[in-house]
């Protein structure tokens, strides 16, 4: 489902998901993890803070806290997706993946092509839901951390073995591959009364 409504609330947590075009494993094929970690750092400059994540082969989940009162979270994420798209295309070109580049180019509809869009890199839909209770935050963290061992994935034996996730940060207190903000620290620093327990 495509996000039509702008999420303009600040000082709140969001659960965000977006997916590569046709569920292709573009993050894995292009080894995009390093670039995504850099993007997480850039989010901080927009007063958007990474509180939990998992990077799957073809999609990612993010729990973010935003204190940005000027830009809607949808717009901030949309800009990040555009920059990721350019990087994915560059990496596919370096890998010589003409098959994927052709598929992604042929899939651009004529009206978007007129606006100079050259490739479909992500699905149009993006999930962006406000998390209004601490219980909901915990539920989503549990969901994203277990994603690598859920359903068809089985990427590792145990979810704590998956390295592109914030699971070990939360469950074992280890540092992560990127800067993370524990949601409890944010709650204690801002307005915990906004959240029903």
């Amino acid at each position: 489902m495509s996000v039509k409504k702008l999420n303009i609330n600040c000082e709140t947590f969001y659960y965000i998901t977006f997916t590569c075009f046709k569920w292709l494993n573009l993050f894995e094929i292009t080894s995009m993890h390093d670039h995504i970690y850099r993007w997480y750092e850039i989010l901080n400059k927009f007063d958007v803070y990474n509180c939990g994540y998992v990077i799957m082969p073809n999609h990612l989940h993010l729990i973010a806290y935003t204190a940005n009162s000027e830009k809607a979270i949808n717009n901030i994420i949309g800009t990040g997706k555009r920059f990721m798209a350019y990087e994915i295309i560059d990496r596919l070109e370096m890998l010589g993946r003409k098959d994927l580049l052709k598929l992604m180019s042929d899939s651009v509809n004529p009206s978007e092509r007129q606006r100079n869009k050259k490739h479909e890199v992500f699905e149009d839909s993006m999930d962006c839901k406000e998390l209004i209770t601490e219980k909901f935050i915990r539920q989503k963290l549990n969901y994203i951390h277990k994603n690598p061992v859920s359903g068809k994935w089985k990427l590792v034996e145990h979810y704590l073995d998956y390295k592109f996730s914030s699971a070990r940060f939360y469950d074992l207190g280890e540092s992560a591959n990127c800067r993370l903000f524990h949601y409890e620290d944010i709650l204690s620093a801002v307005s915990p009364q906004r959240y029903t327990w």
Side-chain angles (χ1 to χ4, degrees):
M1 159 178 105
S2 184
V3 171
K4 307 257 189 241
K5 180 181 107 173
L6 277 181
N7 291 288
I8 56 173
N9 292 339
C10 68
E11 296 187 0
T12 194
F13 292 89
Y14 285 100
Y15 167 72
I16 299 158
T17 301
F18 55 88
T19 305
C20 296
F21 179 62
K22 291 191 179 290
W23 290 82
L24 296 167
N25 289 349
L26 297 177
F27 292 154
E28 180 179 61
I29 292 166
T30 60
S31 300
M32 273 290 286
H33 307 95
D34 62 327
H35 194 77
I36 294 169
Y37 289 138
R38 281 197 297 276
W39 175 63
Y40 289 157
E41 293 298 322
I42 291 167
L43 287 177
N44 296 339
K45 295 176 184 176
F46 292 95
D47 295 324
V48 176
Y49 305 103
N50 179 359
C51 298
Y53 72 93
V54 67
I55 305 168
M56 299 294 283
N58 59 14
H59 67 283
L60 67 76
H61 299 290
L62 173 68
I63 293 175
Y65 176 82
T66 181
N68 189 313
S69 58
E70 296 177 15
K71 280 189 154 185
I73 188 74
N74 309 58
N75 294 337
I76 294 169
I77 301 300
T79 300
K81 284 172 66 180
R82 270 192 300 283
F83 286 111
M84 275 187 231
Y86 295 137
E87 184 68 18
I88 288 170
I89 295 303
D90 286 348
R91 292 185 184 202
L92 289 173
E93 286 172 349
M94 286 191 318
L95 291 168
R97 291 302 305 264
K98 293 180 182 177
D99 57 331
L100 290 176
L101 290 165
K102 182 175 182 345
L103 170 66
M104 294 158 69
S105 176
D106 290 349
S107 300
V108 176
N109 72 44
S111 65
E112 290 180 317
R113 197 172 298 283
Q114 286 181 344
R115 293 195 308 261
N116 210 26
K117 184 172 185 176
K118 296 179 180 171
H119 298 89
E120 287 290 351
V121 179
F122 293 106
E123 290 293 312
D124 288 337
S125 61
M126 179 182 84
D127 200 6
C128 186
K129 293 184 177 136
E130 189 175 359
L131 302 176
I132 56 173
T133 67
E134 185 178 24
K135 181 180 178 183
F136 202 10
I137 295 168
R138 288 180 179 169
Q139 178 189 45
K140 288 301 185 185
L141 275 172
N142 184 58
Y143 171 77
I144 68 176
H145 290 158
K146 302 279 176 67
N147 204 194
V149 295
S150 300
K152 68 172 187 172
W153 288 111
K154 308 294 182 211
L155 298 175
V156 286
E157 285 295 313
H158 192 273
Y159 75 95
L160 289 174
D161 297 330
Y162 192 67
K163 62 183 179 176
F164 306 116
S165 157
S166 57
R168 294 178 74 87
F169 171 81
Y170 276 98
D171 290 16
L172 303 177
E174 292 184 5
S175 60
N177 294 324
C178 59
R179 190 169 179 203
L180 278 173
F181 298 82
H182 198 296
Y183 81 88
E184 289 178 345
D185 293 338
I186 291 176
L187 279 179
S188 65
V190 291
S191 306
Q193 66 271 15
R194 287 189 62 216
Y195 288 81
T196 54
W197 312 99

